Amino acid sequence: DTLAITKTYEKAKKYMNDETIDRIYYMAMANLLDKDEGREIVDKLNRSLLETKNDRMKEDIYVLEFGRKQTMQADSFYKEGLDLFDQKKFEEAAIKFEDASKLNPLELPYFENAANAYLQISNHKKALEMADYVIENSKSPNGKAHYIKGLVYLEKGDKISGCKMLRKSAEYGFNGAKTLANAACR
């Protein structure tokens, strides 16, 4: 039962503070509970776990937050968006990425990819909206959203804001941001 799993988890954390313990706990809870029952677990969840590189653990957290069906539907929309983006059908891709983000607003790459797709069709308002969501909600920024914002500003003719965003992106280590900033921001 969930009480026994939680007690075991809390004991294990005292002896070993390892992501593996978290992973096992969330996997066990996700297999027992779904969205409504998992609400209390998720409310106690340290949001920094969502920044983990362990995709399976994030999936378990998403199942507890949104339910298995909604989590899988979001992933399906995201994959459709990737295919459409590869086919250069940017408007359709943006819609799929945004659909995925509405079903799972914790998965920031959904927003990043929507921002990029909107940028490709020069929908600056939506590109900025999606990029801002990532910037505001990321505990460990990778610079991609800042890069997209920088490109939007440059495309709009706002060199000062664009260069500021590109430099910020470079600070976070996003590839190409420093080179572009050096070329565009003289």
Side-chain angles (χ1 to χ4, degrees), residues 72-180:
M72 295 302 112
Q73 183 64 56
D75 187 55
S76 177
F77 284 152
Y78 178 70
K79 289 175 181 170
E80 289 176 44
L82 290 174
D83 288 340
L84 291 164
F85 193 93
D86 288 343
Q87 296 170 42
K88 301 195 182 320
K89 296 179 180 179
F90 301 120
E91 188 168 1
E92 294 172 55
I95 291 167
K96 287 296 181 184
F97 292 138
E98 195 167 358
D99 288 345
S101 74
K102 288 175 184 172
L103 292 175
N104 183 350
L106 298 177
E107 184 69 338
L108 298 180
Y110 296 171
F111 291 89
E112 282 179 342
N113 284 291
N116 190 15
Y118 281 123
L119 172 64
Q120 301 303 315
I121 58 173
S122 296
N123 186 336
H124 299 139
K125 182 181 177 187
K126 291 297 284 184
L128 289 173
E129 179 185 316
M130 295 292 144
D132 283 339
Y133 184 88
V134 174
I135 291 167
E136 292 166 11
N137 290 284
S138 180
K139 296 209 185 315
S140 55
N142 64 13
K144 182 177 179 180
H146 293 88
Y147 184 79
I148 291 168
K149 279 187 77 167
L151 292 175
V152 168
Y153 287 134
L154 289 176
E155 199 173 283
K156 290 174 66 172
D158 183 350
K159 189 173 180 178
I160 293 171
S161 297
C163 292
K164 180 181 175 183
M165 284 295 116
L166 290 175
R167 286 188 188 101
K168 193 68 156 170
S169 175
E171 285 178 29
Y172 289 123
F174 190 75
N175 289 337
K178 185 175 183 179
T179 303
L180 182 57

Side-chain angles (χ1 to χ4, degrees), residues 1-13 16-33 37-46 49 54 56-64 68:
D1 74 359
T2 58
L3 186 58
I5 292 170
T6 300
K7 283 182 181 179
T8 303
Y9 168 73
E10 290 169 359
K11 285 181 187 177
K13 288 295 278 187
M16 181 170 56
N17 192 6
D18 183 342
E19 189 175 271
T20 303
I21 298 296
D22 296 324
R23 163 83 181 94
I24 293 168
Y25 174 67
Y26 293 112
M27 180 177 64
M29 295 305 264
N31 285 328
L32 289 176
L33 305 173
E37 298 168 310
R39 172 62 45 213
E40 184 179 333
I41 306 292
V42 174
D43 289 344
K44 292 179 183 177
L45 174 66
N46 178 349
L49 287 174
N54 185 324
R56 182 66 185 141
M57 186 160 97
K58 284 198 296 189
E59 183 182 320
D60 292 339
I61 293 166
Y62 299 155
V63 167
L64 287 170
R68 189 168 311 281

